[in-house]
Amino acid sequence: MKLREAWVKKREKDSNRSQMHYARKGILTEEMAFVAEREKLDAEFVRSEVARGRMVIPANVNHAGLEPMAIGINTRCKINANIGNSAVTSDIPKEIDKLSMAVKFGSDTVMDLSTGAHLDETRQAIIDHSPVPVGTVPIYQALEQVHGRPEELTADIMFEVIEHQAKQGVDYMTIHAGVLIEHLPLVSGRITGIVSRGGAIHAQWSMKHRRQNFMYTHFDRLLEICKKYDVTISLGDGLRPGCLHDASDEAQFAELQTLGELTLKAWEQDVQVMVEGPGHVPMDQIPMNIQKQIEICHEAPFYVLGPLTTDIAPGYDHITSAIGAAIAGQAGAAMLCYVTPREHLGLPDLNDVKQGVIAYKIAAHAADVARQRPGARDRDDAISRARFTFDWKKQFELSLDPEHAKALHDETLPDEYFKEAEFCSMCGPKFCSMHISQELTKLGRETKGMREAKKQERQERLLKS
Amino acid sequence: MKLREAWVKKREKDSNRSQMHYARKGILTEEMAFVAEREKLDAEFVRSEVARGRMVIPANVNHAGLEPMAIGINTRCKINANIGNSAVTSDIPKEIDKLSMAVKFGSDTVMDLSTGAHLDETRQAIIDHSPVPVGTVPIYQALEQVHGRPEELTADIMFEVIEHQAKQGVDYMTIHAGVLIEHLPLVSGRITGIVSRGGAIHAQWSMKHRRQNFMYTHFDRLLEICKKYDVTISLGDGLRPGCLHDASDEAQFAELQTLGELTLKAWEQDVQVMVEGPGHVPMDQIPMNIQKQIEICHEAPFYVLGPLTTDIAPGYDHITSAIGAAIAGQAGAAMLCYVTPREHLGLPDLNDVKQGVIAYKIAAHAADVARQRPGARDRDDAISRARFTFDWKKQFELSLDPEHAKALHDETLPDEYFKEAEFCSMCGPKFCSMHISQELTKLGRETKGMREAKKQERQERLLKS
């Protein structure tokens, strides 16, 4: 989309180029208009939502290929796919394949969480190829620069990395500014301690130096960079629970309070913010978690990771967490960060990315339907109609993964004739309820026709008498 | 378990051999004691729950190999796996493989929904091999006997089949006695009509003959057979919705009222009953559906199919429905009937059965945790401890599918050394938050130790001064 470069060019000289800044000045940007169109929302409403911070449009001025999208409680529920290499595995072409796979199946944003080799090149390649917003966690690169020794990190090293990534076109960045030194003793009763990588790094730095988190004390410096490039801050939840046992504890909610403070600080400078959330949470605690974030963080969009609703199914955590994600979406989470089948076991490969994205499209869509968003159920109804009329082709087309659905269907049928038949191998021809039900509809219509005819006859008789 | 034959032998001459009958007479059967042990419940409590109909123990007197289990709101949430052939595909050894797979991964009951060839032999083989209760839908076999022509069905044919299957040892049977002729016009506004096979057959019979459902009018005859063999009735929801659009409509709830009536009728004869439920339901309507069933059906156990929370993901309906099933379980459904990835597309194969069972074990377990059943989270906590201490072996052992978890883990690591390392390919050694967090715990302990020492020093000084 070359258009975006032209949009951005016009704002070249502005000192604050964030969507929030324009929105608050009453300016409707092209990005807002684009988003309004995509979401079938009134453009002025989009502007007002961005202005009050309840909706973000992560759109770095240097991400030329971006097709702007919005995250917030008043838009469709979004999903994010984490890609990126690790020291153990993957390379740039593989990461671009993962990006394409994620976008093909409907991921709304991607995060490059690379921690391995060629960090800059990988990130640039992802941004250049991505039509969706790209997020990062800058502390990973900062840690590389100090050879993996957290205690050697400094604010200067960190901000150099942040500005560099902002220049590259990163649309949103996870910043763990809420992990305060006074929160650290609160994790002592946990089973799994601190499971956020960024959170653990900051914690270690604070413990070694006996000093406050430098991203908290230097938060204003971050805001200056965000204004310049319109980087949306994603306030990381460094103390999120890593298992059901640790969910909703004091450490988690102490950090959330800090994230609420930082949200207001960012908004003072018209910087866009979303807030990250757990993780691992029993189902019954999920709506409470969402409600708390909405209140404490002043309705800034909530971006949750799953949450997993049980810890007993490694290898299937796309499912354990899709359950939690759907409930979170229904309760008001704005974006759901996917979890793949490989979570807790290794770096996701291409198929893991696909499985994760599909599970989360399901969760986000189920949440949209449950929130009764206008039009959310249209696709469900269309596919149901196709199903009832045995329009297999249409049914496949309307499904999240047409090739897979068709393959599963065709596989169990002996030949071409059967593949288009008005039944499938589940019930066979005699037991197909849809088939019987269609006949019933005909019967019903005849009966209704007979009844109508009789009624008319009776009325005519009455009129004559 | 040869024991069971001995238990049953003692009751040979009783005219009503249902668990409910004994429970109401104040007799604690061996089956109840066995269940109490499994569920870690008080045996007297189990008896009282069975007596009031809130818990069922499906245990046909002729199912010798059965290991008794219970279904009800005060036990662990259960899952069922549907197996069985169709006219298009599968044979007996394949069905026994499916049974073994379902039981291996934790299915609490199985239903033989065969509609193809060798119905009797298949059913007998499944019963003989199954340690879990076996359910059937007798109308499938009855329809075979009239060569697939619903209008030729009669009560006599149906009851002959039911008695025959009861003799074989079927533990519970789905009976669509609630599909009344007066309900049929209520489905006219639906997209997918009647999607229950049994429901559609009864509807067609009623429409052709202009007569009331013969299973409703002959319900007493059914009860006589159930008393004799202790067959638990599973009141089928023949008018369940087949898509989101049709959920919670008049037809569905009209039938539910009838199922409530029939529940009381069965209880008058001390016959055990559970009630089947939907199907396809948007997330926001699920708790209401469960609450309604509990009220209208006097707390008889609710046995739901999914429900699917969106219709747009054929090929992944184990996920779309695991979301709904977990919510249903949390809201009080007693048993969750699985849906496999092949739903709507074809007859499940062996791998589909496995995928379905695992998705539903996840849903049922997440529901148990959310209902805060005593001990439900123990396994989660144990696996989390193993995870934090990098005890991979234990982590795999405690997981729902150890082989799969281990395979996913090992696959991404280059050699044996790495496979037991204190990190995985997700983050590599430098970025492993668990690793950092462990160091932090040590640091924390040292700090705490220093603080304690200082405190003591201060106190000693004070005492001296």
Side-chain angles (χ1 to χ4, degrees):
Chain A
M1 202 172 81
K2 287 283 139 82
L3 263 177
R4 176 109 212 284
E5 283 171 85
W7 300 348
V8 170
K9 187 127 187 81
K10 291 191 300 181
R11 305 170 205 150
E12 211 171 19
K13 296 200 176 112
D14 300 347
S15 63
N16 187 339
R17 294 192 283 175
S18 88
Q19 294 292 323
M20 188 182 220
H21 185 65
Y22 295 112
R24 286 179 163 187
K25 291 210 297 186
I27 297 169
L28 184 84
T29 62
E30 289 85 349
E31 285 84 352
M32 294 172 208
F34 191 89
V35 159
E37 185 87 21
R38 283 182 91 163
E39 297 278 348
K40 298 193 183 75
L41 290 173
D42 179 64
E44 173 50 28
F45 176 68
V46 169
R47 190 204 56 74
S48 74
E49 289 289 290
V50 173
R52 71 178 280 177
R54 195 158 58 182
M55 188 185 290
V56 296
I57 301 179
N60 187 307
V61 294
N62 290 342
H63 187 178
L66 180 74
E67 295 166 8
M69 53 74 76
I71 303 163
I73 198 166
N74 287 318
T75 67
R76 271 188 313 105
C77 188
K78 302 301 190 296
I79 70 166
N80 169 69
N82 290 336
I83 59 173
N85 66 23
S86 78
V88 183
T89 181
S90 199
D91 55 23
I92 294 178
K94 271 194 194 153
E95 293 310 318
I96 297 303
D97 285 347
K98 289 185 198 169
L99 166 70
S100 307
M101 183 66 93
V103 171
K104 176 181 171 187
F105 285 101
S107 195
D108 298 289
T109 79
V110 296
M111 286 192 84
D112 171 18
L113 301 189
S114 293
T115 56
H118 312 296
L119 292 179
D120 276 326
E121 296 80 351
T122 306
R123 187 182 317 110
Q124 194 64 62
I126 289 173
I127 294 167
D128 292 345
H129 284 84
S130 179
V132 302
V134 176
T136 60
V137 185
I139 202 167
Y140 298 168
Q141 189 172 20
L143 190 68
E144 275 301 320
Q145 307 221 338
V146 294
H147 316 290
R149 287 190 284 266
E151 61 277 17
E152 291 182 15
L153 279 173
T154 64
D156 284 342
I157 292 169
M158 187 71 179
F159 284 112
E160 200 181 304
V161 166
I162 289 173
E163 177 123 28
H164 170 70
Q165 295 194 3
K167 256 188 209 151
Q168 281 189 306
V170 171
D171 301 287
Y172 65 94
M173 294 184 193
T174 297
I175 303 292
H176 300 90
V179 182
L180 302 191
I181 190 163
E182 55 266 39
H183 300 156
L184 301 182
L186 301 177
V187 306
S188 64
R190 287 186 165 184
I191 291 182
T192 55
I194 299 176
V195 295
S196 148
R197 300 190 285 202
I201 295 164
H202 274 294
Q204 202 167 27
W205 188 92
S206 280
M207 290 291 274
K208 290 255 164 109
H209 294 286
R210 303 278 143 200
R211 280 169 60 200
Q212 190 55 286
N213 182 327
F214 56 82
M215 290 309 294
Y216 180 78
T217 53
H218 292 69
F219 198 66
D220 285 335
R221 243 172 112 176
L222 173 67
L223 299 181
E224 288 311 310
I225 300 173
C226 293
K227 281 152 71 174
K228 204 161 145 191
Y229 300 93
D230 195 8
V231 174
T232 298
I233 298 174
S234 190
L235 287 169
D237 54 336
L239 301 181
R240 69 169 173 268
C243 64
L244 295 190
H245 173 275
D246 299 349
S248 312
D249 72 350
E250 239 185 309
Q252 183 195 326
F253 290 137
E255 182 183 25
L256 189 62
Q257 287 289 350
T258 309
L259 301 185
E261 259 177 54
L262 294 171
T263 297
L264 292 182
K265 264 195 143 177
W267 286 353
E268 276 170 25
Q269 301 288 321
D270 299 349
V271 168
Q272 303 194 93
V273 180
M274 49 188 177
V275 176
E276 297 183 13
H280 296 240
V281 185
M283 290 167 74
D284 56 318
Q285 296 174 25
I286 297 173
M288 175 273 284
N289 268 268
I290 309 293
Q291 205 44 50
K292 245 184 151 71
Q293 185 276 344
I294 290 175
E295 283 162 24
I296 295 174
C297 298
H298 319 282
E299 302 185 298
F302 200 18
Y303 168 26
V304 294
L305 172 58
L308 279 75
T309 55
T310 165
D311 299 320
I312 67 169
Y316 300 89
D317 278 335
H318 59 313
I319 300 178
T320 64
S321 68
I323 293 170
I327 296 170
Q330 182 187 359
M335 185 153 77
L336 313 173
C337 182
Y338 86 174
V339 171
T340 79
R342 190 87 58 172
E343 185 76 17
H344 301 112
L345 298 170
L347 194 77
D349 67 14
L350 194 60
N351 182 51
D352 294 322
V353 168
K354 178 181 163 181
Q355 298 304 321
V357 168
I358 286 175
Y360 274 67
K361 284 304 278 187
I362 289 170
H365 183 76
D368 282 339
V369 169
R371 285 188 74 87
Q372 302 174 16
R373 294 193 194 282
R377 221 190 52 209
D378 292 353
R379 187 169 168 185
D380 299 84
D381 293 354
I383 205 170
S384 300
R385 270 185 209 101
R387 190 167 275 163
F388 193 62
T389 53
F390 296 101
D391 188 341
W392 292 103
K393 197 165 156 264
K394 199 163 187 185
Q395 194 183 150
F396 298 146
E397 275 169 15
L398 284 164
S399 70
L400 280 187
D401 185 358
E403 283 164 45
H404 180 61
K406 185 168 172 13
L408 283 187
H409 172 259
D410 290 359
E411 202 176 85
T412 53
L413 292 167
D415 61 34
E416 284 311 311
Y417 162 73
F418 277 96
K419 283 171 194 165
E420 298 189 1
E422 295 208 342
F423 57 85
C424 72
S425 69
M426 180 109 182
C427 309
K430 258 189 298 201
F431 282 89
C432 178
S433 60
M434 296 262 185
H435 203 98
I436 301 176
S437 195
Q438 279 192 359
E439 282 187 36
L440 220 58
T441 312
K442 280 178 225 155
L443 261 177
R445 264 195 225 110
E446 284 164 26
T447 318
K448 206 178 164 194
M450 275 161 57
R451 237 188 288 137
E452 291 293 323
K454 268 196 187 151
K455 202 172 148 192
Q456 211 177 331
E457 204 188 286
R458 214 169 34 239
Q459 282 180 340
E460 281 169 15
R461 237 186 300 136
L462 270 170
L463 281 175
K464 275 184 205 160
S465 68
Chain B
M1 204 172 79
K2 288 282 141 78
L3 264 178
R4 177 111 213 282
E5 283 171 84
W7 300 348
V8 171
K9 184 123 188 87
K10 291 191 300 182
R11 306 172 204 146
E12 214 171 17
K13 295 199 177 116
D14 299 347
S15 62
N16 187 339
R17 294 192 284 175
S18 87
Q19 294 291 323
M20 188 181 219
H21 184 66
Y22 295 112
R24 286 179 163 187
K25 292 210 296 187
I27 298 170
L28 184 83
T29 62
E30 289 85 348
E31 285 85 351
M32 293 172 207
F34 191 89
V35 159
E37 186 87 20
R38 285 183 91 165
E39 297 278 348
K40 297 193 185 74
L41 290 173
D42 179 64
E44 171 51 29
F45 176 68
V46 169
R47 189 204 58 75
S48 73
E49 288 290 289
V50 173
R52 71 179 279 176
R54 194 158 60 182
M55 188 185 290
V56 295
I57 301 180
N60 186 306
V61 293
N62 290 341
H63 188 177
L66 179 74
E67 295 167 8
M69 54 75 76
I71 303 163
I73 197 166
N74 287 317
T75 67
R76 271 188 312 104
C77 187
K78 301 302 189 297
I79 70 166
N80 170 68
N82 290 335
I83 59 174
N85 66 24
S86 78
V88 183
T89 182
S90 199
D91 54 25
I92 294 179
K94 271 194 195 151
E95 293 310 319
I96 298 302
D97 285 347
K98 288 186 198 168
L99 166 69
S100 307
M101 183 67 93
V103 171
K104 176 182 170 186
F105 285 102
S107 195
D108 298 289
T109 79
V110 296
M111 286 192 82
D112 171 18
L113 301 189
S114 293
T115 55
H118 311 297
L119 291 179
D120 275 326
E121 297 80 351
T122 306
R123 187 181 319 111
Q124 195 64 61
I126 290 173
I127 294 168
D128 292 346
H129 284 83
S130 179
V132 303
V134 176
T136 61
V137 186
I139 203 167
Y140 298 168
Q141 188 172 20
L143 190 68
E144 274 301 319
Q145 307 219 338
V146 293
H147 316 287
R149 288 189 283 266
E151 62 276 18
E152 291 182 16
L153 279 173
T154 64
D156 285 341
I157 293 169
M158 188 69 179
F159 284 111
E160 198 181 308
V161 166
I162 289 173
E163 177 123 29
H164 170 70
Q165 295 195 1
K167 254 188 211 152
Q168 281 189 305
V170 170
D171 300 288
Y172 65 93
M173 294 183 193
T174 298
I175 303 291
H176 300 91
V179 182
L180 302 191
I181 191 164
E182 54 266 40
H183 300 155
L184 302 182
L186 301 176
V187 305
S188 64
R190 288 186 164 184
I191 290 182
T192 54
I194 299 176
V195 294
S196 148
R197 298 190 286 201
I201 296 165
H202 274 296
Q204 204 168 23
W205 186 92
S206 280
M207 290 290 275
K208 289 256 166 107
H209 294 286
R210 304 276 145 200
R211 279 169 60 199
Q212 189 55 286
N213 182 326
F214 55 81
M215 290 309 292
Y216 179 78
T217 52
H218 292 70
F219 198 65
D220 286 334
R221 241 172 114 176
L222 174 68
L223 299 181
E224 287 312 310
I225 300 172
C226 293
K227 282 152 69 173
K228 201 161 148 193
Y229 300 94
D230 195 8
V231 173
T232 297
I233 299 174
S234 190
L235 288 169
D237 55 334
L239 302 181
R240 67 167 174 270
C243 64
L244 295 189
H245 173 275
D246 299 349
S248 312
D249 72 350
E250 238 185 309
Q252 183 194 326
F253 290 137
E255 181 183 24
L256 189 63
Q257 287 289 351
T258 308
L259 301 185
E261 257 177 57
L262 294 171
T263 298
L264 293 183
K265 263 196 144 176
W267 285 353
E268 277 170 25
Q269 301 289 321
D270 299 350
V271 167
Q272 302 194 92
V273 179
M274 48 187 180
V275 176
E276 297 183 13
H280 295 240
V281 184
M283 290 167 72
D284 57 318
Q285 297 174 24
I286 297 173
M288 176 272 284
N289 267 269
I290 309 291
Q291 206 44 52
K292 246 185 151 71
Q293 185 276 341
I294 290 174
E295 284 162 25
I296 294 174
C297 298
H298 318 282
E299 302 185 298
F302 200 18
Y303 168 28
V304 294
L305 173 58
L308 279 76
T309 55
T310 165
D311 299 319
I312 66 170
Y316 300 89
D317 278 334
H318 59 314
I319 301 178
T320 63
S321 67
I323 294 170
I327 297 169
Q330 182 187 358
M335 184 153 78
L336 314 172
C337 182
Y338 85 175
V339 171
T340 79
R342 190 87 57 172
E343 185 75 18
H344 300 113
L345 299 170
L347 193 76
D349 67 14
L350 195 60
N351 182 51
D352 294 322
V353 169
K354 177 182 165 181
Q355 298 304 321
V357 168
I358 287 176
Y360 274 68
K361 284 304 276 186
I362 290 169
H365 183 76
D368 282 338
V369 169
R371 285 189 74 87
Q372 301 175 17
R373 295 195 195 281
R377 221 190 53 209
D378 291 353
R379 187 168 168 185
D380 299 84
D381 293 355
I383 206 170
S384 300
R385 272 185 206 102
R387 189 167 276 162
F388 193 62
T389 54
F390 297 100
D391 187 341
W392 292 103
K393 198 166 154 262
K394 199 165 186 182
Q395 194 183 150
F396 298 147
E397 275 169 14
L398 285 164
S399 70
L400 280 187
D401 185 358
E403 284 165 45
H404 180 62
K406 185 169 172 12
L408 284 186
H409 172 260
D410 291 358
E411 200 177 84
T412 53
L413 294 167
D415 60 34
E416 283 312 311
Y417 162 73
F418 277 96
K419 284 172 192 163
E420 299 189 0
E422 296 208 341
F423 56 84
C424 73
S425 69
M426 180 108 181
C427 310
K430 259 190 299 200
F431 282 90
C432 178
S433 61
M434 296 262 184
H435 203 97
I436 301 175
S437 194
Q438 279 192 0
E439 282 187 36
L440 220 59
T441 312
K442 281 177 223 154
L443 261 177
R445 263 193 226 114
E446 285 163 24
T447 318
K448 206 179 162 194
M450 276 162 56
R451 238 188 287 136
E452 292 294 322
K454 269 196 187 153
K455 203 171 145 192
Q456 211 179 328
E457 204 190 287
R458 217 172 28 241
Q459 282 180 340
E460 281 168 15
R461 239 187 297 138
L462 271 169
L463 282 173
K464 275 182 205 162
S465 70

Short mmCIF file of all heavy atoms in Angstrom, two decimals, chain B residues 12 61 67 73 76 100 132 146 154 161 164 174 176 183 210 226 305 311 344 349 353 397 399 433 436 452 457:
data_model
loop_
_atom_site.label_atom_id
_atom_site.label_comp_id
_atom_site.label_asym_id
_atom_site.label_seq_id
_atom_site.Cartn_x
_atom_site.Cartn_y
_atom_site.Cartn_z
N GLU B 12 -30.50 -61.08 41.40
CA GLU B 12 -31.13 -61.76 40.26
C GLU B 12 -32.66 -61.74 40.30
O GLU B 12 -33.31 -61.54 39.27
CB GLU B 12 -30.64 -63.21 40.26
CG GLU B 12 -30.49 -63.80 38.88
CD GLU B 12 -29.80 -65.17 38.98
OE1 GLU B 12 -29.76 -65.73 40.11
OE2 GLU B 12 -29.30 -65.66 37.97
N VAL B 61 -27.13 -54.62 34.18
CA VAL B 61 -26.79 -55.84 34.93
C VAL B 61 -26.03 -56.85 34.07
O VAL B 61 -25.31 -57.70 34.58
CB VAL B 61 -28.06 -56.50 35.52
CG1 VAL B 61 -28.67 -55.60 36.59
CG2 VAL B 61 -29.08 -56.83 34.44
N GLU B 67 -16.62 -51.09 34.89
CA GLU B 67 -16.10 -50.47 36.12
C GLU B 67 -17.03 -49.30 36.41
O GLU B 67 -16.94 -48.27 35.76
CB GLU B 67 -14.66 -50.01 35.91
CG GLU B 67 -13.71 -51.17 35.66
CD GLU B 67 -12.35 -50.73 35.14
OE1 GLU B 67 -12.07 -49.51 35.12
OE2 GLU B 67 -11.57 -51.61 34.74
N ILE B 73 -23.91 -33.62 38.84
CA ILE B 73 -23.28 -32.33 39.11
C ILE B 73 -22.30 -32.41 40.28
O ILE B 73 -21.38 -31.61 40.38
CB ILE B 73 -24.35 -31.23 39.33
CG1 ILE B 73 -23.74 -29.84 39.19
CG2 ILE B 73 -25.06 -31.41 40.68
CD1 ILE B 73 -24.76 -28.73 39.07
N ARG B 76 -16.97 -35.44 39.35
CA ARG B 76 -16.14 -34.86 38.29
C ARG B 76 -16.96 -34.78 37.01
O ARG B 76 -17.79 -35.65 36.74
CB ARG B 76 -14.94 -35.76 38.01
CG ARG B 76 -13.70 -35.52 38.84
CD ARG B 76 -12.55 -36.38 38.30
NE ARG B 76 -12.92 -37.76 38.09
CZ ARG B 76 -13.16 -38.31 36.90
NH1 ARG B 76 -13.05 -37.63 35.78
NH2 ARG B 76 -13.48 -39.58 36.82
N SER B 100 -10.72 -48.54 22.37
CA SER B 100 -9.49 -48.57 23.17
C SER B 100 -8.84 -47.19 23.23
O SER B 100 -8.35 -46.77 24.28
CB SER B 100 -8.49 -49.57 22.60
OG SER B 100 -9.12 -50.81 22.44
N VAL B 132 -16.00 -49.05 30.36
CA VAL B 132 -16.82 -47.86 30.62
C VAL B 132 -18.24 -48.12 30.12
O VAL B 132 -18.46 -48.98 29.25
CB VAL B 132 -16.23 -46.59 29.95
CG1 VAL B 132 -14.81 -46.35 30.43
CG2 VAL B 132 -16.30 -46.69 28.43
N VAL B 146 -36.73 -51.78 9.36
CA VAL B 146 -37.80 -51.42 8.40
C VAL B 146 -37.19 -50.83 7.13
O VAL B 146 -37.78 -50.00 6.46
CB VAL B 146 -38.85 -50.47 9.03
CG1 VAL B 146 -39.62 -51.19 10.13
CG2 VAL B 146 -38.18 -49.21 9.57
N THR B 154 -42.84 -49.15 14.15
CA THR B 154 -43.95 -49.31 15.10
C THR B 154 -43.34 -49.41 16.50
O THR B 154 -42.15 -49.70 16.65
CB THR B 154 -44.74 -50.61 14.86
OG1 THR B 154 -43.86 -51.72 15.10
CG2 THR B 154 -45.29 -50.68 13.44
N VAL B 161 -36.26 -54.10 19.68
CA VAL B 161 -34.86 -53.69 19.57
C VAL B 161 -34.32 -53.26 20.94
O VAL B 161 -33.23 -53.65 21.35
CB VAL B 161 -34.71 -52.54 18.55
CG1 VAL B 161 -33.34 -51.88 18.68
CG2 VAL B 161 -34.94 -53.03 17.14
N HIS B 164 -33.75 -56.19 23.20
CA HIS B 164 -32.59 -56.94 22.70
C HIS B 164 -31.28 -56.26 23.10
O HIS B 164 -30.35 -56.91 23.59
CB HIS B 164 -32.70 -57.06 21.18
CG HIS B 164 -31.47 -57.59 20.53
ND1 HIS B 164 -31.07 -58.91 20.68
CD2 HIS B 164 -30.54 -57.00 19.77
CE1 HIS B 164 -29.94 -59.09 20.01
NE2 HIS B 164 -29.59 -57.94 19.46
N THR B 174 -30.31 -43.55 24.32
CA THR B 174 -30.93 -42.29 23.94
C THR B 174 -32.30 -42.57 23.34
O THR B 174 -32.42 -43.32 22.37
CB THR B 174 -30.06 -41.53 22.93
OG1 THR B 174 -28.81 -41.23 23.54
CG2 THR B 174 -30.74 -40.24 22.49
N HIS B 176 -35.78 -40.60 22.01
CA HIS B 176 -36.28 -39.28 21.63
C HIS B 176 -37.77 -39.16 21.88
O HIS B 176 -38.55 -38.87 20.98
CB HIS B 176 -35.95 -39.00 20.16
CG HIS B 176 -34.48 -39.02 19.88
ND1 HIS B 176 -33.80 -40.16 19.49
CD2 HIS B 176 -33.54 -38.04 19.97
CE1 HIS B 176 -32.52 -39.88 19.33
NE2 HIS B 176 -32.33 -38.61 19.61
N HIS B 183 -44.72 -29.97 18.62
CA HIS B 183 -43.48 -29.16 18.58
C HIS B 183 -43.01 -28.92 17.15
O HIS B 183 -42.24 -28.00 16.90
CB HIS B 183 -42.34 -29.86 19.32
CG HIS B 183 -42.60 -30.13 20.76
ND1 HIS B 183 -41.97 -31.13 21.46
CD2 HIS B 183 -43.43 -29.52 21.65
CE1 HIS B 183 -42.40 -31.14 22.72
NE2 HIS B 183 -43.28 -30.17 22.85
N ARG B 210 -49.64 -38.53 11.17
CA ARG B 210 -50.46 -37.56 11.92
C ARG B 210 -50.74 -38.09 13.33
O ARG B 210 -51.86 -38.02 13.81
CB ARG B 210 -51.81 -37.28 11.23
CG ARG B 210 -51.70 -36.80 9.81
CD ARG B 210 -51.48 -35.31 9.77
NE ARG B 210 -50.59 -34.99 8.66
CZ ARG B 210 -49.91 -33.87 8.56
NH1 ARG B 210 -49.98 -32.97 9.50
NH2 ARG B 210 -49.14 -33.64 7.53
N CYS B 226 -36.22 -50.90 31.32
CA CYS B 226 -35.13 -50.23 32.05
C CYS B 226 -35.01 -50.78 33.48
O CYS B 226 -33.90 -50.94 33.99
CB CYS B 226 -35.35 -48.73 32.08
SG CYS B 226 -35.21 -47.98 30.45
N LEU B 305 -23.97 -31.92 24.09
CA LEU B 305 -23.15 -32.21 22.90
C LEU B 305 -22.42 -30.93 22.55
O LEU B 305 -22.96 -30.03 21.94
CB LEU B 305 -24.08 -32.65 21.77
CG LEU B 305 -23.45 -32.85 20.39
CD1 LEU B 305 -22.36 -33.89 20.43
CD2 LEU B 305 -24.53 -33.26 19.38
N ASP B 311 -19.98 -21.66 13.92
CA ASP B 311 -20.19 -22.64 12.85
C ASP B 311 -19.16 -22.54 11.74
O ASP B 311 -19.25 -23.25 10.74
CB ASP B 311 -21.60 -22.44 12.26
CG ASP B 311 -22.69 -22.65 13.29
OD1 ASP B 311 -22.56 -23.59 14.10
OD2 ASP B 311 -23.67 -21.87 13.30
N HIS B 344 -19.42 -32.91 10.97
CA HIS B 344 -20.04 -32.23 9.81
C HIS B 344 -19.37 -32.62 8.50
O HIS B 344 -19.79 -32.16 7.43
CB HIS B 344 -19.99 -30.70 9.92
CG HIS B 344 -20.72 -30.17 11.12
ND1 HIS B 344 -20.08 -29.55 12.15
CD2 HIS B 344 -22.03 -30.19 11.44
CE1 HIS B 344 -20.97 -29.18 13.07
NE2 HIS B 344 -22.16 -29.57 12.66
N ASP B 349 -12.26 -41.03 12.28
CA ASP B 349 -11.35 -42.17 12.28
C ASP B 349 -10.62 -42.21 13.63
O ASP B 349 -10.93 -41.43 14.53
CB ASP B 349 -10.38 -42.12 11.08
CG ASP B 349 -9.41 -40.96 11.16
OD1 ASP B 349 -9.28 -40.33 12.25
OD2 ASP B 349 -8.77 -40.66 10.14
N VAL B 353 -10.89 -39.62 16.87
CA VAL B 353 -11.36 -40.02 18.20
C VAL B 353 -10.39 -39.51 19.26
O VAL B 353 -10.78 -38.90 20.26
CB VAL B 353 -11.52 -41.55 18.29
CG1 VAL B 353 -11.74 -41.99 19.74
CG2 VAL B 353 -12.68 -42.02 17.41
N GLU B 397 5.00 -37.11 31.99
CA GLU B 397 4.18 -38.14 32.65
C GLU B 397 2.83 -37.60 33.12
O GLU B 397 1.82 -38.27 33.04
CB GLU B 397 4.91 -38.69 33.88
CG GLU B 397 5.88 -39.80 33.55
CD GLU B 397 6.76 -40.13 34.77
OE1 GLU B 397 6.43 -39.69 35.89
OE2 GLU B 397 7.80 -40.80 34.58
N SER B 399 1.16 -35.17 31.89
CA SER B 399 0.36 -34.51 30.87
C SER B 399 -0.66 -35.47 30.26
O SER B 399 -0.53 -36.68 30.37
CB SER B 399 1.27 -33.91 29.80
OG SER B 399 1.84 -34.94 29.05
N SER B 433 12.89 -17.70 31.14
CA SER B 433 12.43 -16.95 32.31
C SER B 433 12.43 -17.82 33.56
O SER B 433 12.70 -17.36 34.66
CB SER B 433 11.04 -16.39 32.07
OG SER B 433 10.14 -17.45 31.85
N ILE B 436 15.93 -17.84 34.90
CA ILE B 436 16.24 -16.57 35.58
C ILE B 436 15.48 -16.50 36.89
O ILE B 436 16.01 -16.11 37.93
CB ILE B 436 15.86 -15.37 34.68
CG1 ILE B 436 16.62 -15.42 33.35
CG2 ILE B 436 16.14 -14.05 35.40
CD1 ILE B 436 16.24 -14.34 32.36
N GLU B 452 16.79 -10.88 57.74
CA GLU B 452 16.52 -11.56 59.02
C GLU B 452 17.71 -11.37 59.98
O GLU B 452 17.52 -11.07 61.16
CB GLU B 452 16.28 -13.06 58.79
CG GLU B 452 15.00 -13.39 58.05
CD GLU B 452 13.76 -13.02 58.86
OE1 GLU B 452 13.78 -13.22 60.08
OE2 GLU B 452 12.78 -12.51 58.27
N GLU B 457 20.16 -8.77 64.73
CA GLU B 457 21.26 -7.94 65.24
C GLU B 457 20.69 -6.74 65.98
O GLU B 457 21.10 -6.39 67.08
CB GLU B 457 22.10 -7.48 64.03
CG GLU B 457 23.53 -7.10 64.34
CD GLU B 457 24.15 -6.45 63.10
OE1 GLU B 457 24.43 -7.18 62.12
OE2 GLU B 457 24.31 -5.20 63.10
#
